[in-house]
Amino acid sequence: MPVTNRAQIERMVSRCGVVLPEKFKIMLDKYGDNDEAIMDAGIAYAVNQIIDLVSHGVDGIHLYTMNKPVVARRIYEAVKNIISIPKSNILAS
């Protein structure tokens, strides 16, 4: 689930009690008060995770974009040449 705003991740952390990776906390602290910057940083973080997972042999990726097709499209555009995605699973723009 790509993080696209600070409130979203803070709500998730408070409900689940998860511990965020240090790299992620730094990103959130630096860009969390700028909506456009945190969306870009969250998408970049998700893309990096996908690349890491695919390079370690995962068969596929499922994204929860919380009804934000622009997020799904941007991630797809960034990884389309790295992972094979059937056309039937691609969101229409």
Side-chain angles (χ1 to χ4, degrees):
M1 185 174 92
V3 173
T4 57
N5 69 62
R6 179 183 216 120
Q8 172 192 34
I9 194 63
E10 288 174 347
R11 215 173 18 257
M12 179 87 56
V13 168
S14 71
R15 289 180 181 165
C16 300
V18 298
V19 176
L20 298 173
E22 192 61 32
K23 181 179 175 180
F24 191 89
K25 287 192 247 182
I26 292 168
M27 178 191 78
L28 194 60
D29 288 341
K30 183 167 180 115
Y31 304 114
D33 295 328
N34 180 321
D35 291 343
E36 290 179 12
I38 195 62
M39 180 177 281
D40 288 348
I43 289 170
Y45 194 91
V47 166
N48 286 334
Q49 284 184 310
I50 291 167
I51 291 168
D52 185 51
L53 289 167
V54 170
S55 69
H56 284 90
V58 299
D59 292 331
I61 303 294
H62 184 96
L63 296 174
Y64 290 92
T65 59
M66 308 305 283
N67 295 321
K68 294 181 181 178
V70 68
V71 173
R73 175 61 63 188
R74 286 181 56 191
I75 292 171
Y76 165 72
E77 289 298 328
V79 300
K80 68 183 177 186
N81 295 317
I82 296 166
I83 188 169
S84 175
I85 304 171
K87 289 187 178 188
S88 63
N89 292 342
I90 299 171
L91 291 175
S93 54

